[in-house]
Amino acid sequence: MGAIETLAGIGMAVGPPLIYADQAYSIVKKKDSSGFSHDVCGVLLIANIIRVFFWLGNRFEIPLLMQSIFLIISQLILLAICLHYKTPSNQDSSNYAPLSPLPSTSEEGPTRGHQRQESDYLSQPPTSGTTSGSGRRKRPFDFWQWEGYGSYLEFLAGLILVLGVLQIILGRWMWYIDALGFVALTIESTLPIPQFISNFKRKSCYGFRSSTLAGWFFGDAYKTVYFFIRGSPIQFKVTAIMTLCWDSAVLAQRMMYGSNPPRESSNQFSSSRAEAEESRGLRSDGEERQFSIQ
């Protein structure tokens, strides 16, 4: 019985972090992180950092603590990979002026005031108050939509600092510890929601690995049974059931949408290709007219 408990504890500690190994490998192989919501990394990082502080007040099992530590490390690596291979495929190119140049004229010509260079369109892209550079709707303070990896690390460092101060001030009261546990595990129970929203918007599960989905579903089912058998705190049991329900919703999306690329991506590629050809045609016509005038 002791050997079984040891193996179960090892599986609980290292199993969840290993779920994301194949997802990271797929992103590196394709050099494209689209299709996988890096909000998933944010949910896991924030939830598990809070869970570590929860452990300081309520010493639950060591395998669960090690799971949190391993998840923090693995998600920091996965987040760095996602940002490194982030592509501008979701950029709304319709907001930008076409790059086809106007026929050039001499400085003394009558149309001098109407001259416009290609670089003008690039140096002054239109601004929008509702969407970010990738075409996504902005969040308050651009939360978890920052460009640099350092911004994420600064936020996480600030979170650890705040939790540390609160632990010193309020850590003696059990109501705070219990609330901390519910906050940590409630956040973790929302893990599949960002991916669910991403799949729903794109009407596709392209880029989201089946191995990750299988790891979510079977891993959370295993954790739910483990929590009830081992008599873990009620916070673990309730949130495990919530997470399993969202896993089932993402699984239903996989069955409905499949893993083919979203149609909008192929349409955007076709339209951008047509615009490029049209731009080249206008460029050739302009040069031909300029040559004939000369």
Side-chain angles (χ1 to χ4, degrees):
M1 191 67 180
I4 296 177
E5 291 181 355
T6 301
L7 291 175
I10 294 174
M12 180 61 64
V14 303
L18 289 177
I19 290 174
Y20 301 94
D22 184 56
Q23 183 70 57
Y25 173 77
S26 174
I27 292 173
V28 173
K29 184 179 180 180
K30 295 189 301 182
K31 294 181 172 55
D32 179 12
S33 63
S34 63
F36 178 75
S37 174
H38 73 282
D39 288 340
V40 170
C41 302
V43 171
L44 285 172
L45 284 168
I46 295 172
N48 283 280
I49 288 173
I50 298 176
R51 201 208 286 189
V52 170
F53 283 92
F54 174 46
W55 180 86
L56 295 176
N58 186 353
R59 301 300 176 89
F60 50 82
E61 297 184 46
I62 294 297
L64 297 179
L65 174 64
M66 297 306 299
Q67 178 194 95
S68 293
I69 294 174
F70 291 151
L71 276 171
I72 291 171
I73 296 172
S74 65
Q75 294 308 305
L76 286 173
I77 297 172
L78 182 58
L79 177 61
I81 293 173
C82 288
L83 294 176
H84 182 72
Y85 291 107
K86 183 180 178 181
T87 60
S89 58
N90 295 329
Q91 185 173 351
D92 187 5
S93 58
S94 61
N95 290 334
Y96 288 82
L99 299 180
S100 54
L102 295 174
S104 59
T105 58
S106 61
E107 293 186 358
E108 285 74 22
T111 59
R112 178 182 176 184
H114 298 283
Q115 282 186 330
R116 189 69 180 267
Q117 301 296 328
E118 285 188 59
S119 59
D120 294 341
Y121 295 109
L122 297 175
S123 61
Q124 298 178 355
T127 58
S128 174
T130 58
T131 56
S132 62
S134 60
R136 296 173 300 180
R137 189 169 296 275
K138 281 190 174 182
R139 302 171 183 172
F141 307 105
D142 286 339
F143 181 74
W144 215 256
Q145 292 181 328
W146 307 302
E147 294 295 331
Y149 188 56
S151 300
Y152 297 87
L153 296 181
E154 290 174 2
F155 168 78
L156 295 174
L159 176 63
I160 293 172
L161 179 61
V162 170
L163 290 173
V165 172
L166 292 176
Q167 187 71 25
I168 295 173
I169 299 174
L170 303 175
R172 68 190 72 179
W173 285 290
M174 202 60 200
W175 63 265
Y176 169 75
I177 300 300
D178 290 338
L180 204 62
F182 269 114
V183 169
L185 294 163
T186 300
I187 293 175
E188 188 172 357
S189 69
T190 65
L191 172 64
I193 295 179
Q195 191 63 51
F196 178 88
I197 295 174
S198 176
N199 295 342
F200 178 77
K201 288 181 177 179
R202 300 163 68 245
K203 297 295 185 293
S204 171
C205 294
Y206 175 77
F208 181 58
R209 298 290 291 173
S210 300
S211 58
T212 304
L213 176 57
W216 280 5
F217 186 83
F218 292 108
D220 289 331
Y222 171 79
K223 286 195 298 184
T224 303
V225 175
Y226 181 90
F227 293 153
F228 277 92
I229 292 178
R230 298 292 297 174
S232 299
I234 187 65
Q235 294 95 326
F236 287 92
K237 299 175 183 177
V238 173
T239 55
I241 295 174
M242 292 173 58
T243 308
L244 193 58
C245 293
W246 279 108
D247 291 340
S248 301
V250 177
L251 178 61
Q253 284 185 322
R254 181 74 179 192
M255 297 172 65
M256 290 173 56
Y257 301 146
S259 60
N260 294 326
R263 294 179 180 177
E264 58 183 9
S265 297
S266 58
N267 292 338
Q268 288 176 358
F269 175 77
S270 300
S271 61
S272 62
R273 184 175 180 180
E275 289 176 359
E277 292 177 354
E278 181 180 358
S279 176
R280 287 196 296 269
L282 290 174
R283 184 190 300 270
S284 300
D285 293 343
E287 292 175 353
E288 186 176 338
R289 287 195 299 269
Q290 179 182 0
F291 180 77
S292 61
I293 293 173
Q294 292 177 350

